[in-house]
Amino acid sequence: MDDKLIISGIEFKSRLWVGTGKYKDFEETKKAVEASGADVVTVAVRRVNITDRGKENLLDYIDPKKYKILPNTAGCYTAEDAIRTARLARTAGVSDMVKLEVIGDEKTLFPDNEALLEAAKVLVKEGFIVFPYTNDDPIMAKKLQDIGCAAVMPLAAPIGSGLGIRNPYNLKIILETVKIPVVVDAGVGTASDAAIAMELGCDAVLMNTGIAGAKDPLKMAEAMKHAIIAGRLAYKAGRMPMKLYASASSPLEGKIGG
């Protein structure tokens, strides 16, 4: 497609971003990422080894020269812990980008938005390119934009739930409220969910369980790739107006023999 996604001066080839958790092994992770066509791969710094190259390392399977590695602070429950984790990844030379997560509830994995905002302020000042995982709150999205975050990443549904887009209206309001890119994060379960997010006008979709949790992750990764492309094209095309009643798809005027 001719409309490029550029964030903080970085050009992204795909609007599908993928995670690396919940696969049976690193080899399956590699194959699923390849099938997805994604060029952004997010990695949980606290859960997967990407800093010690002396041990088995995810980056032995996901080539940082081919993919944009997006470290994330999954598993962090305080602003201090998230900041420390982001710094660790950058010190190890992984990336200046960070998917910032500060979890507020262990059961639902909903974000702690107050702590998120606190951590984001610190990391933005330190020169990080911050992608914050937040709930679908337009007010918080605006606050994250105003402190200098590169994008906002509202959830579509709870992490790993596969429930799809639960509140498309909040996403639409966020799209109207902020001027930075909106990347849907969490809750996508199948290809139609990804297409809907793109049809709403979101700039990208990040997913993990929707692919890794499928019966055939490789096929689902490819399905998600096509869904993202189709949804984006549909958004750019502009859908037809919805009507209560039918209208003839073929005009009656000029009918042969009439």
Side-chain angles (χ1 to χ4, degrees):
M1 290 183 289
D2 57 359
D3 63 321
K4 297 179 180 178
L5 176 59
I6 299 175
I7 305 176
S8 294
I10 302 170
E11 182 177 325
F12 298 88
K13 297 178 182 178
S14 172
R15 293 176 183 268
L16 173 58
W17 301 4
V18 296
T20 52
K22 303 185 179 180
Y23 292 97
K24 65 180 182 182
D25 53 35
F26 283 159
E27 186 62 33
E28 184 179 65
T29 305
K30 176 184 177 181
K31 290 179 179 178
V33 171
E34 290 173 347
S36 75
D39 66 329
V40 174
V41 179
T42 183
V43 180
V45 177
R46 290 168 58 93
R47 297 173 180 160
V48 178
N49 176 35
I50 56 171
T51 57
D52 185 355
R53 300 312 298 267
K55 301 178 181 178
E56 186 180 33
N57 193 303
L58 178 63
L59 300 187
D60 294 331
Y61 296 82
I62 306 297
D63 186 356
K65 295 179 181 179
K66 182 178 179 181
Y67 300 100
K68 298 177 179 65
I69 306 301
L70 178 59
N72 74 54
T73 61
C76 294
Y77 286 82
T78 67
E80 293 77 12
D81 200 9
I83 292 167
R84 187 183 310 114
T85 302
R87 288 170 175 165
L88 174 64
R90 183 162 74 173
T91 300
V94 179
S95 180
D96 288 330
M97 300 190 297
V98 60
K99 180 195 168 188
L100 181 61
E101 297 184 28
V102 185
I103 302 302
D105 178 66
E106 188 173 356
K107 182 178 181 180
T108 63
L109 301 181
F110 283 138
D112 180 338
N113 281 328
E114 291 182 3
L116 176 71
L117 193 63
E118 178 186 344
K121 288 178 181 177
V122 172
L123 294 175
V124 167
K125 287 182 180 179
E126 293 184 3
F128 283 86
I129 301 170
V130 179
F131 298 88
Y133 160 70
T134 179
N135 59 15
D136 56 350
D137 177 2
I139 305 304
M140 180 53 62
K142 181 68 163 54
K143 289 181 178 180
L144 291 165
Q145 171 188 263
D146 291 347
I147 65 168
C149 290
V152 289
M153 303 184 72
L155 55 82
I159 291 176
S161 67
L163 290 172
I165 312 296
R166 293 294 84 200
N167 195 338
Y169 305 104
N170 271 27
L171 289 178
K172 291 182 74 172
I173 294 171
I174 289 173
L175 288 163
E176 294 173 358
T177 301
V178 301
K179 296 180 180 178
I180 56 178
V182 175
V183 181
V184 165
D185 182 15
V188 170
T190 191
S192 57
D193 300 330
I196 289 170
M198 298 307 294
E199 288 172 7
L200 288 170
C202 296
D203 295 278
V205 177
L206 191 154
M207 65 184 73
N208 184 184
T209 311
I211 296 175
K215 292 182 180 179
D216 188 329
L218 304 190
K219 284 187 174 66
M220 185 60 78
E222 187 174 358
M224 292 295 189
K225 174 177 69 174
H226 294 301
I228 292 291
I229 294 171
R232 180 64 180 178
L233 285 172
Y235 169 72
K236 296 289 287 185
R239 66 158 293 141
M240 62 167 284
M242 294 184 181
K243 299 177 181 179
L244 183 58
Y245 299 103
S247 59
S249 59
S250 299
L252 297 177
E253 295 82 2
K255 186 177 179 180
I256 297 175

